[in-house]
Amino acid sequence: MRYLGIDLGSKRIGLALGDAKGLVTPLKVLTAGASMERNAHLVLEVADEYGADEIVIGLPLNMDDTEGPQARPSRQLAEAIHQLGGPPVHLHDERLSSHAADARLRERDLTRGQKKTRQDALAAQCILQSFVE
C-alpha cells in the first residue's frame, strides 16, 4: 500500500510518499493552482506517477479539536479528488506539522530560501508519518 501525503497551502502543496510499513519521505512541492479542481488534477497526476493507492490530506484542527477556517480547503480538495474518480482520501489531523518541519529544518545548514522550499514537503511527511503510525 502506497500513500501520498499532502500539506495544502494557499500557494504551495507539499507532498510526501509513504507505505504501510511506515517508511515516509518528503517528495516535492507543487505550486497551488487557481482552483481546487486544478489542485486535484495536480495531486492526481503525482499519485498516478508514484503509484499511490490512497491519499492523506492534512486537516488543520485547533488545539481544542474544532476545525478552523483552513480546514475548508482541505475538505474541498478531498471532494474534488473524489469527484475526479481518484483513490480513497483520508483527512488527518495536521496540528503542529509545520512546527515539526521547522524543527527538522533548523538542524540543517540551509539558507532561508532553501528552508522555505522544503518546509511544505517536510510538513506533508510529518502528516503522513502520523497517519501510518
Side-chain angles (χ1 to χ4, degrees):
M1 178 74 69
R2 292 187 105 180
Y3 299 100
L4 181 66
I6 299 174
D7 178 48
L8 179 64
S10 60
K11 296 179 183 179
R12 292 176 303 279
I13 304 169
L15 302 174
L17 191 65
D19 61 29
K21 295 177 185 173
L23 180 63
V24 179
T25 58
L27 192 56
K28 62 171 96 177
V29 177
L30 305 174
T31 300
S35 71
M36 207 52 73
E37 183 177 347
R38 177 69 185 131
N39 290 339
H41 280 288
L42 292 171
V43 166
L44 288 174
E45 286 174 13
V46 175
D48 186 52
E49 177 183 353
Y50 287 92
D53 303 298
E54 297 185 9
I55 296 173
V56 179
I57 301 173
L59 182 65
L61 297 175
N62 297 316
M63 294 310 280
D64 65 358
D65 291 333
T66 61
E67 289 186 13
Q70 290 303 105
R72 186 173 184 209
S74 294
R75 290 192 177 281
Q76 290 172 334
L77 179 59
E79 180 60 28
I81 291 170
H82 174 74
Q83 292 296 322
L84 291 171
V89 176
H90 306 275
L91 292 166
H92 186 72
D93 183 359
E94 72 166 32
R95 276 180 287 195
L96 305 177
S97 62
S98 293
H99 294 292
D102 288 342
R104 290 181 187 178
L105 288 170
R106 274 193 295 274
E107 299 169 3
R108 298 182 183 173
D109 187 26
L110 301 171
T111 67
R112 185 175 182 196
Q114 290 170 323
K115 289 178 182 179
K116 189 74 170 164
T117 301
R118 291 178 173 89
Q119 180 189 30
D120 298 301
L122 283 173
Q125 178 188 23
C126 292
I127 293 164
L128 189 53
Q129 189 71 54
S130 173
F131 176 82
V132 296
E133 287 175 356

